[in-house]
Amino acid sequence: SVVFPDGSSEKVDAIIFCTGYRYSFPFLNDGLITIKDERIEPIYKHMVHIEHQNLIFFGIPRQLPYFPHFHEMAKFAIKLLAGKITLPSEEEMRAESEAEYQARLKEGKPPIFAHYMGDGHRQTEFNAQIAKLGGFEPLSPVIQMIWDDVMDERYMNIINTHEFDYLVTGPSSYRCLTPSKAKSRVSKAENVVRK
């Protein structure tokens, strides 16, 4: 239930808290999580509280194809809450999370990139990991390919970025339906004419 400032309370099914680009969870008890340099601990796979595994966070990873990945995270959460996923021990989850963080630091990423997925391989690996753990198929490669194309275009052609339409033609292929707006770049899309 939720307790409001006036002391009244209400039973709810879900709480959706939108914080923008800074992580903040003022509704959670002090000490339940820590946030330092935008790194949230203790969470596993950027979503599951290690000590309270029925506390699942959505929207922690940054810069990835949000809606497809949130769909995959939802599938994972449903299976976890239904008892169909066995997570590693708390010690193993902590060690894996720390190893991932340390690897980012060794790559030269600043601490605030703890949940950053902007490198293409990170998004694919993240999705593959939760799909394997959850026992379902990972996202089709075409999702990553379109994301890469959109990000390339975003850097080369910010003005027209939101004017692109894509058609998925297979698990690893797609077409850009608005190729006339594309700037000179490498694209994985079929039938895109380059200047």
Side-chain angles (χ1 to χ4, degrees), residues 55-187:
L55 178 56
I56 302 169
F57 298 85
F58 285 82
I60 300 297
R62 291 186 173 169
Q63 200 168 10
L64 74 168
Y66 294 103
F67 296 114
H69 279 278
F70 289 172
H71 178 76
E72 299 298 284
M73 292 170 81
K75 290 192 306 191
F76 181 90
I78 289 167
K79 290 186 96 171
L80 179 63
L81 293 173
K84 296 180 180 178
I85 294 175
T86 302
L87 294 173
S89 70
E90 287 186 18
E91 295 78 25
E92 291 170 315
M93 288 189 286
R94 285 180 196 281
E96 186 178 327
S97 296
E98 184 62 25
E100 179 186 347
Y101 177 66
Q102 291 302 320
R104 288 169 188 259
L105 296 178
K106 284 183 184 174
E107 292 171 9
K109 302 281 188 223
I112 63 169
F113 276 52
H115 305 293
Y116 175 78
M117 300 289 178
D119 311 65
H121 72 282
R122 257 185 248 289
Q123 299 167 27
T124 304
E125 289 170 9
F126 171 68
N127 178 252
Q129 291 168 3
I130 65 169
K132 181 178 180 182
L133 197 56
F136 53 84
E137 290 295 315
L139 286 171
S140 178
V142 73
I143 301 299
Q144 184 66 48
M145 293 168 69
I146 291 172
W147 174 260
D148 291 345
D149 211 47
V150 167
M151 293 308 288
D152 288 347
E153 194 64 41
R154 187 180 198 181
Y155 293 117
M156 298 292 292
N157 187 12
I158 190 72
I159 301 300
N160 293 316
T161 297
H162 298 291
E163 296 184 31
F164 285 90
D165 295 311
Y166 295 94
L167 174 67
V168 173
T169 58
S172 295
S173 63
Y174 63 99
R175 285 190 316 122
C176 179
L177 301 177
T178 50
S180 63
K181 297 185 184 299
K183 297 293 184 189
S184 179
R185 63 187 167 82
V186 176
S187 175

